[in-house]
Amino acid sequence: MRKPVVGISYKTYVNTIDKATELVKALADVTEDEKEVEKFVFPSLGVMYPVAQVLKGSEIAFGAQNISPYENGAYTGEVSIESIIDMGGTHIEIGHAERQSIFHETLDMIHLKTKLTLEKGLTPVLCIGERERLDNKSGRKQVLKEQILTSFGEVDAALIEKVILAYEPVWAIGQAEAADAAYVHQTHEIIREIVKEAYSAEAAEAIRIIYGGSVSKDNVYEITTHNDVDGVFIGRFGHDPANYKQILHIVKQVKSK
Ligand code: PGA
């Protein structure tokens, strides 16, 4: 049994201490003592410390939307994983589409970050996804396979199942609607198949694959009703704690069946 996942990234939408702490406090309040779903938030990096203080003792984990590929040293302007660990962070988002398209992050960088995160015992939330809708199944598989294999690189195969793969088709991010459920389901099957073929049946069975890209309370049910979808990664529609509560509730219901 894979533990279901509901994650949120606030990107750089909520950047002041007051607003960010108020928001995560509200999330923690609506979450109460829910334990069956793995929950994490990625606050805007500049407000990580106050957010960490608020989430201490809650059922919601947190981490960074990005880290330096290097543990420490002369890397001006980067955020070290050492600081995230020191604050109690447990999850690291890696390779989001915006980091790749706007900040020119390469798959080699993504690999270094994935490797470092795993070696430090944290959970990488590794983003993958095709830029344009690819109805051709083998074409889609090819693109995702290259992303997965390059990002993992020579990572110890035993650690691969610790990764959460966030399937985020770039064309469905920031839209009014998510990718349609049938397309998402088929892609999650493809991703699990890639992990099975490249690593092992055990790794494919254990790894969590979640969907991100315009997830809302209205589409989460359809998206998660497939065995290969282990949860969701929320963006804008997680800014309202009431929506978050509903999304969490739906994922929990669907995955407990
Ligand atoms: P969105 O963001 O839900 O606002 O589309 C999702 C993401 O980029 O992870």
Side-chain angles (χ1 to χ4, degrees):
M1 269 300 278
R2 297 183 292 268
K3 188 169 187 175
V5 180
V6 171
I8 304 185
S9 167
Y10 287 122
K11 305 196 180 186
T12 44
Y13 282 119
V14 187
N15 307 317
T16 61
I17 296 171
D18 281 355
K19 287 204 172 114
T21 51
E22 193 185 314
L23 185 51
V24 292
K25 174 145 191 353
L27 292 192
D29 286 347
V30 298
T31 303
E32 298 175 332
D33 65 349
E34 200 291 319
K35 288 185 172 59
E36 283 154 50
V37 176
E38 183 167 324
K39 300 165 293 296
F40 59 81
V41 293
F42 292 133
S44 183
L45 268 171
V47 293
M48 173 95 59
Y49 184 71
V51 162
Q53 301 308 300
V54 172
L55 290 178
K56 213 177 252 177
S58 82
E59 289 295 329
I60 305 178
F62 71 92
Q65 298 170 12
N66 179 39
I67 45 153
S68 168
Y70 310 105
E71 204 170 334
N72 54 41
Y75 303 105
T76 302
E78 290 290 303
V79 172
S80 164
I81 196 166
E82 291 178 346
S83 308
I84 311 302
I85 294 169
D86 195 36
M87 285 184 255
T90 47
H91 292 64
I92 308 284
E93 181 176 7
I94 300 172
H96 187 275
E98 287 146 20
R99 296 225 42 91
Q100 295 190 53
S101 64
I102 305 169
F103 301 104
H104 312 293
E105 192 163 303
T106 61
L107 284 178
D108 292 335
M109 281 281 168
I110 292 168
H111 164 63
L112 290 176
K113 295 178 185 194
T114 306
K115 188 162 173 282
L116 177 63
T117 301
L118 285 168
E119 285 169 1
K120 288 284 170 190
L122 275 66
T123 303
V125 179
L126 175 62
C127 301
I128 54 170
E130 72 283 4
R131 306 214 144 268
E132 327 235 302
R133 185 183 168 110
L134 292 172
D135 284 308
N136 178 307
K137 200 176 151 190
S138 65
R140 204 181 330 151
K141 183 171 180 179
Q142 198 46 46
V143 170
L144 294 168
K145 186 174 171 184
E146 197 206 325
Q147 291 179 0
I148 293 170
L149 297 196
T150 317
S151 302
F152 285 162
E154 87 284 12
V155 158
D156 180 352
L159 293 177
I160 279 163
E161 63 182 60
K162 309 270 183 223
V163 173
I164 295 175
L165 282 174
Y167 169 56
E168 301 216 318
V170 181
W171 52 274
I173 295 174
Q175 305 298 313
E177 301 286 335
D180 62 272
Y183 186 96
V184 172
H185 297 166
Q186 186 183 55
T187 312
H188 280 238
E189 285 173 15
I190 293 172
I191 294 168
R192 213 173 287 286
E193 200 173 273
I194 293 168
V195 174
K196 185 175 174 185
E197 287 165 5
Y199 302 98
S200 66
E202 291 72 32
E205 185 52 39
I207 200 166
R208 269 94 52 86
I209 309 170
I210 63 175
Y211 170 81
S214 308
V215 170
S216 71
K217 64 180 173 30
D218 303 317
N219 57 33
V220 65
Y221 177 83
E222 263 207 299
I223 288 171
T224 51
T225 46
H226 186 287
N227 188 41
D228 287 317
V229 181
D230 298 303
V232 287
F233 192 15
I234 316 167
R236 289 156 297 147
F237 300 114
H239 293 195
D240 174 1
N243 281 347
Y244 170 74
K245 185 180 181 178
Q246 260 185 289
I247 293 172
L248 181 60
H249 180 72
I250 293 168
V251 171
K252 188 172 165 165
Q253 293 297 109
V254 171
K255 293 300 158 191
S256 64
K257 280 185 191 146

